[in-house]
Amino acid sequence: MEETEAEAEVESNRDNVEVAPALIAVHPEQTSVAVAVGPDLRVFDLLAGSAASLVDECGAPFHKDSIRAIRFGSRGKLFVSAGDDKTVKIWSTESWRCVCTVSSEKRVSAVAISEDGCHVCFADKFGVVWVVDVAGSHEHVALGDRKPTPLLSHYCSIIPSLEFSPDGRFILSADRDSKIRVTNFPKKPLNGAHEIQSFCLGHTEFVSCLAFVHARECPQGLLVSGSGDSTVRLWDISSGVLLDTCEVAAKAGLLESNGEAEEHGHAVTDLCTTISGLLIAVAIQSLQGLVLLSCDVSAQTLSVSKVVSIAGEAFVPTCLGFSPAEGKLWMVTGVSSLPACNYPPLSRVRVISAIDAEQEPVVLGDDEIPGGEKLLETLQGSASVDESAFLAAAEAVKTAMRNLLIKKQYPADNRESRKKTRNDRKLKM
């Protein structure tokens, strides 16, 4: 009996431990690649062929808790990292100096950089989106204290993804309550964003990721979204109209078309569009590889182009990044920690070339990856990895996403007591 109780306690602790998935971001011109795993921020300079030396006046480690979001600006001059330590760090990619550290009231779940590079937006776990003015940032000049200003709010719903539309007119925020909000980004965002363009409603579970299909016919772009409901959906953001739905998990053979499967076991974890907008790479929990979707812009439809399997490895991508300059898709898998295991933060980087509708994608070997062994040593922590740990890592990410994004249902008699102990309800002495 004692052994059974102990096992139950271990299982409960395993489910309650928060782990953060490994993240990857690629410079628009593929001059550098960044990986975040746990509190570690690792950057490799592909031009120099060595690890980038990050400089932060706050000292190292740069983040004191798990990093939840990293992002290059569309022009490649700025890089942002943020996470559970309630800090947002803004870096110059020319010098890799931290030009500004912004404090958040709560843990940060998503970041975005405006198309002109003048504003950084971030979302916290209470559902508030904040904006910071970074105009005038320069590689050798610190921005000093920049206070974030509230931009908009989803009212107590976690926001996993923020995106600016390609024309910069809108900022989009996706939340745990399965909705996507399209907000007009004002000329003076420090005064708040009060004009809602539309809501994109149709997902039946949390919305985990957003990306844009770039098209000449549609300067503001067509939106694609991934969700815990195992689908990718295509939207017209001006009207909020749902254009098409692709059941990617079913198409990849992960579940029957009737949707019967382990609850939330095949959530879409990330999306990445190519610069041409013709192909969309999709990462799904439990899939050792990727699904490539084709978007027909004129017909406004999505279809499965290819399923790319990564054979011989327990590689389930947690994050994707695309290099428009080189046409390569970068992937990472891993977690900040594994409950009940002695593994350090895990990360494994892979690259796919020939991401094109007319070519067959090729998964590059480690010796073929740009930067080679030096890059792998920097971004993974070592050139060789323990493959046996990554299936456990995939399961840990699945559990973490469920704990984070699936709303818990509490008995009525527990709700009042929980409200009284919420940090935001406590009186300030």
Side-chain angles (χ1 to χ4, degrees):
M1 184 65 179
E2 291 181 0
E3 183 178 355
T4 301
E5 291 178 354
E7 290 174 350
E9 183 177 355
V10 169
E11 188 66 28
S12 175
N13 291 338
R14 182 181 290 114
D15 285 346
N16 290 330
V17 171
E18 283 197 35
V19 301
L23 307 173
I24 194 165
V26 186
H27 189 280
E29 297 177 2
Q30 196 176 290
T31 58
S32 56
V33 181
V35 163
V37 55
D40 297 339
L41 179 59
R42 307 163 179 172
V43 180
F44 189 82
D45 186 332
L46 286 162
L47 297 181
S50 61
S53 297
L54 278 62
V55 179
D56 184 2
E57 293 180 358
C58 295
F62 309 121
H63 287 276
K64 296 178 173 58
D65 207 338
S66 292
I67 298 169
R68 296 286 182 168
I70 56 176
R71 174 70 67 95
F72 282 96
S74 62
R75 302 184 181 184
K77 293 183 178 181
L78 292 179
F79 176 83
V80 178
S81 58
D84 287 348
D85 63 353
K86 302 179 183 178
T87 64
V88 178
K89 291 188 175 290
I90 302 167
W91 307 80
S92 163
T93 59
E94 296 179 12
S95 62
W96 282 107
R97 178 181 298 274
C98 179
V99 295
C100 184
T101 298
V102 179
S103 296
S104 170
E105 293 182 2
K106 302 186 184 302
R107 291 185 287 176
V108 179
S109 57
V111 299
I113 304 173
S114 63
E115 291 300 305
D116 59 9
C118 292
H119 296 93
V120 169
C121 294
F122 65 91
D124 66 28
K125 287 196 173 182
F126 203 65
V128 180
V129 177
W130 303 79
V131 61
V132 182
D133 184 354
V134 294
S137 60
H138 190 274
E139 63 170 315
H140 298 301
V141 179
L143 291 173
D145 291 334
R146 296 290 170 110
K147 302 295 183 184
T149 302
L151 182 71
L152 57 93
S153 177
H154 277 238
Y155 302 104
C156 307
S157 187
I158 293 172
I159 298 174
S161 185
L162 281 176
E163 286 290 335
F164 278 92
S165 61
D167 60 5
R169 290 179 55 202
F170 305 106
I171 182 168
L172 289 86
S173 44
D175 69 22
R176 179 177 63 179
D177 293 320
S178 70
K179 66 179 181 292
I180 302 166
R181 172 175 165 174
V182 182
T183 306
N184 285 273
F185 192 70
K187 293 182 179 179
K188 297 181 179 180
L190 299 185
N191 294 333
H194 308 294
E195 185 179 348
I196 298 174
Q197 176 69 24
S198 65
F199 283 98
C200 300
L201 305 176
H203 281 296
T204 58
E205 295 290 348
F206 58 85
V207 182
S208 53
C209 45
L210 303 173
F212 272 94
V213 173
H214 299 252
R216 292 180 181 177
E217 303 93 322
C218 185
Q220 66 194 22
L222 295 176
L223 177 70
V224 285
S225 59
S227 167
D229 62 13
S230 307
T231 69
V232 172
R233 301 183 188 237
L234 183 69
W235 309 87
D236 178 339
I237 61 172
S238 292
S239 62
V241 169
L242 174 61
L243 302 174
D244 198 16
T245 298
C246 184
E247 297 181 356
V248 287
K251 297 290 186 182
L254 295 176
L255 71 165
E256 299 298 327
S257 58
N258 60 13
E260 292 181 1
E262 176 192 352
E263 187 178 19
H264 313 299
H266 304 299
V268 175
T269 55
D270 202 13
L271 289 168
C272 188
T273 57
T274 64
I275 194 64
S276 66
L278 297 177
L279 286 179
I280 304 155
V282 183
I284 308 172
Q285 288 182 342
S286 307
L287 177 63
Q288 295 185 38
L290 296 169
V291 176
L292 294 180
L293 300 182
S294 177
C295 179
D296 187 326
V297 175
S298 58
Q300 298 182 333
T301 58
L302 296 171
S303 60
V304 173
S305 174
K306 300 178 180 71
V307 177
V308 182
S309 299
I310 300 179
E313 289 191 9
F315 188 94
V316 180
T318 55
C319 190
L320 309 174
F322 183 72
S323 163
E326 300 293 332
K328 290 183 171 60
L329 183 72
W330 293 71
M331 310 170 288
V332 69
T333 188
V335 292
S336 56
S337 61
L338 282 177
C341 295
N342 294 322
Y343 288 108
L346 297 166
S347 62
R348 175 77 168 105
V349 175
R350 299 303 305 265
V351 178
I352 297 179
S353 68
I355 298 296
D356 187 283
E358 299 179 356
Q359 300 183 60
E360 192 64 29
V362 177
V363 181
L364 300 182
D366 287 352
D367 57 340
E368 300 172 306
I369 292 177
E373 186 173 320
K374 288 184 178 181
L375 176 137
L376 295 176
E377 288 177 348
T378 299
L379 302 184
Q380 297 178 172
S382 64
S384 60
V385 294
D386 184 352
E387 300 292 353
S388 63
F390 285 103
L391 274 181
E395 289 302 313
V397 170
K398 190 185 301 183
T399 300
M401 179 172 281
R402 183 183 68 235
N403 290 345
L404 178 66
L405 294 176
I406 303 302
K407 275 195 168 181
K408 298 180 177 66
Q409 300 297 325
Y410 297 101
D413 56 348
N414 287 351
R415 291 173 188 166
E416 290 304 317
S417 62
R418 288 184 59 83
K419 287 179 182 178
K420 292 177 182 178
T421 57
R422 271 172 36 187
N423 289 333
D424 58 299
R425 291 290 184 89
K426 292 178 182 178
L427 295 176
K428 295 182 179 180
M429 303 301 291

